[in-house]
Amino acid sequence: MKRFFDIIVTLTAILLLSPLLFIVSILVVFSMGAPVFFSQERIGLNGKPFRVFKFRSMTNKKDEKGNLLPNIERVTKVGSFLRRSSIDELPSLYNILKGDMSLVGPRPLLPDYLNCYSNYHRRRHDVRPGLTGLAQICGRNNITWKARLDLDIDYINKQSFLFDLWIIFMTAIKVIRRSDVEGDSDMSIIRLDKDPSYIKEKSND
């Protein structure tokens, strides 16, 4: 039922949002140039890697040594708007159709984090990652890594069709209110593999 629901809702969303997707693609090209999409390897169901797609929100500006500038210096006004409105996430609907992701589940994270998880938190890969999830409606980047990962496991333990519907509804409310959405603020979030508090917590696992 969950997979069937994902496909029906995603196909409907793509159909209804196609004019918006086209307009955003044009804006990205004019503000940042090609390519329109940003892709990055993430970890999905059973630890299998896949490439997640988003609208680009940053340029490829580099310093005099050829190194990319910090993220906060590369994000454009259009990119900042896309992040704050969560429109940058819409290309991930393609990942849902492919079966890499679900509408609801733990957010897919970087391969670099694979060796960071405690045994308890490794269970987040027992389900497909989601476009939204319990952690996203309970503070998102305003809570610690441990709290975010704990919420991922809470979702897995409690998951049901009605629970997914509630998370989707609450996500829509937060997007409309622009509450706890990722914008420029997520540029300075410490990486999980660099978070001393979580590393210490894991050592006690």
Side-chain angles (χ1 to χ4, degrees):
M1 175 183 264
K2 184 178 176 71
R3 180 66 184 145
F4 177 75
F5 179 75
D6 284 345
I7 293 173
I8 295 301
V9 172
T10 300
L11 286 174
T12 302
I14 291 175
L15 180 63
L16 295 177
L17 296 173
S18 55
L20 174 63
L21 296 173
F22 176 75
I23 292 171
V24 172
S25 297
I26 297 300
L27 288 175
V28 171
V29 169
F30 274 94
S31 64
M32 288 171 268
V36 172
F37 303 111
F38 164 80
S39 71
Q40 188 178 54
E41 190 175 81
R42 300 292 176 91
I43 299 300
L45 179 65
N46 298 323
K48 181 181 177 181
F50 71 97
R51 298 201 72 82
V52 68
F53 293 92
K54 298 183 180 185
F55 280 118
R56 281 182 66 205
S57 59
M58 294 184 288
T59 67
N60 293 319
K61 290 182 179 179
K62 300 179 180 180
D63 59 24
E64 61 278 3
K65 296 182 179 179
N67 300 313
L68 286 173
L69 293 174
N71 291 351
I72 194 65
E73 296 182 31
R74 293 189 290 123
V75 67
T76 65
K77 290 183 178 180
V78 169
S80 180
F81 168 75
L82 295 180
R83 283 172 168 266
R84 292 180 185 280
S85 62
S86 295
I87 291 175
D88 67 317
E89 302 277 359
L90 291 180
S92 296
L93 293 172
Y94 170 70
N95 290 113
I96 297 175
L97 285 182
K98 280 184 61 185
D100 295 328
M101 293 176 61
S102 178
L103 285 169
V104 182
R107 287 291 291 163
L109 299 178
L110 296 169
D112 297 353
Y113 297 169
L114 275 174
N115 294 325
C116 297
Y117 303 119
S118 65
N119 292 331
Y120 179 70
H121 291 146
R122 289 184 191 282
R123 289 184 55 214
R124 71 189 315 278
H125 297 135
D126 290 349
V127 298
R128 285 187 177 90
L131 188 64
T132 187
L134 185 59
Q136 280 59 56
I137 64 170
C138 294
R140 206 163 186 171
N141 289 328
N142 296 323
I143 56 179
T144 66
W145 269 110
K146 182 181 182 301
R148 290 172 66 181
L149 297 175
D150 281 346
L151 286 168
D152 289 341
I153 305 305
D154 285 345
Y155 167 76
I156 292 172
N157 292 336
K158 300 174 182 176
Q159 64 178 316
S160 69
F161 180 66
L162 290 179
F163 194 30
D164 281 5
L165 288 180
W166 178 75
I167 290 174
I168 291 171
F169 174 75
M170 292 303 299
T171 299
I173 295 298
K174 284 186 172 289
V175 169
I176 291 171
R177 294 178 176 176
R178 296 192 181 186
S179 172
D180 294 329
V181 296
E182 290 183 357
D184 296 342
S185 61
D186 72 314
M187 297 294 187
S188 58
I189 297 298
I190 188 170
R191 289 168 54 102
L192 176 60
D193 53 352
K194 305 293 184 184
D195 185 349
S197 63
Y198 184 77
I199 292 173
K200 182 179 179 181
E201 182 76 27
K202 180 195 171 186
S203 67
N204 296 324
D205 180 42

